[in-house]
């Protein structure tokens, strides 16, 4: 039933046989825009309240603002701007809800990341296991999406040569 809801959001299949039984197996675009993007964000949102609670229990000296802290905030802010651009572009040119839900969910998750970076600095935590897991899972999911786009490009260019 949940899969049918996701398929209604995408307007296409969530899973098909060419995902597994093909010469070049590939995830569907619906799967890439939902599960691959939403899974790291959901994990972040589920663990964040516990992480904030753990941070309130830490009694250490707050860290000074450093170039690493500033670089983290600038990088996340730039990523937020890119996702806001994607959101506006998708709202303008696509009618399926998944094209606007995924960027909006990512923007909210990135804002949570900025607040985590700030609160961790106030509590004296230099590196965050939660953020490492989130960014690692998100990078892995995006690598799968990039592979899919490269594969589609090569297949189309091969078909055009014929």
């Amino acid at each position: 039933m949940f899969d049918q809801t996701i398929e209604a959001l995408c307007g296409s299949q969530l899973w098909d046989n060419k995902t597994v039984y093909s010469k070049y197996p590939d995830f569907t675009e619906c799967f890439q825009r939902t599960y691959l993007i939403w899974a790291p964000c959901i994990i972040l949102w589920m663990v964040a309240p516990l992480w904030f609670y753990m941070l309130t229990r830490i009694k250490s000296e707050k860290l000074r603002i450093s170039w690493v802290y500033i670089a983290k905030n600038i990088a996340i802010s730039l990523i937020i701007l890119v996702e806001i651009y994607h959101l506006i572009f998708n709202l303008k040119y696509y009618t399926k809800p998944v094209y606007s839900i995924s960027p909006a969910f990512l923007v909210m998750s990135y804002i949570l990341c900025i607040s985590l970076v700030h609160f961790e600095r106030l509590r004296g935590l230099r590196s965050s296991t939660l953020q490492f897991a989130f960014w690692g899972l998100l990078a892995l999911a995006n690598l799968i999406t990039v592979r899919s786009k490269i594969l589609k490009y090569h297949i189309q260019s091969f078909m055009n040569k014929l």
Side-chain angles (χ1 to χ4, degrees), residues 51-69:
W51 194 259
F52 277 115
Y53 176 74
M54 186 263 322
L55 289 174
T56 60
R57 310 300 284 169
I58 294 176
K59 303 287 188 214
S60 67
E61 204 171 301
K62 80 175 184 178
L63 300 173
R64 293 185 302 165
I65 294 177
S66 66
W67 65 272
V68 175
Y69 172 75

Side-chain angles (χ1 to χ4, degrees), residues 60-146:
S60 67
E61 204 171 301
K62 80 175 184 178
L63 300 173
R64 293 185 302 165
I65 294 177
S66 66
W67 65 272
V68 175
Y69 172 75
I70 293 170
K72 284 180 188 179
N73 283 319
I74 289 173
I76 296 172
S77 298
L78 290 174
I79 293 171
I80 288 172
L81 290 175
V82 168
E83 284 302 324
I84 289 173
Y85 170 77
H86 284 149
L87 179 63
I88 293 169
F89 182 83
N90 291 340
L91 284 172
K92 188 173 182 181
Y93 292 108
Y94 293 104
T95 59
K96 299 299 177 192
V98 75
Y99 289 101
S100 57
I101 292 172
S102 292
F105 197 32
L106 282 169
V107 167
M108 291 186 297
S109 298
Y110 296 151
I111 291 170
L112 178 62
C113 284
I114 281 186
S115 62
L116 277 169
V117 167
H118 178 67
F119 199 63
E120 288 165 351
R121 182 190 66 82
L122 291 178
R123 294 299 180 176
L125 191 64
R126 293 189 189 281
S127 63
S128 172
T129 310
L130 176 60
Q131 293 224 28
F132 179 78
F134 169 70
W135 291 109
L137 288 172
L138 198 60
L140 182 65
N142 283 324
L143 279 174
I144 293 169
T145 304
V146 167

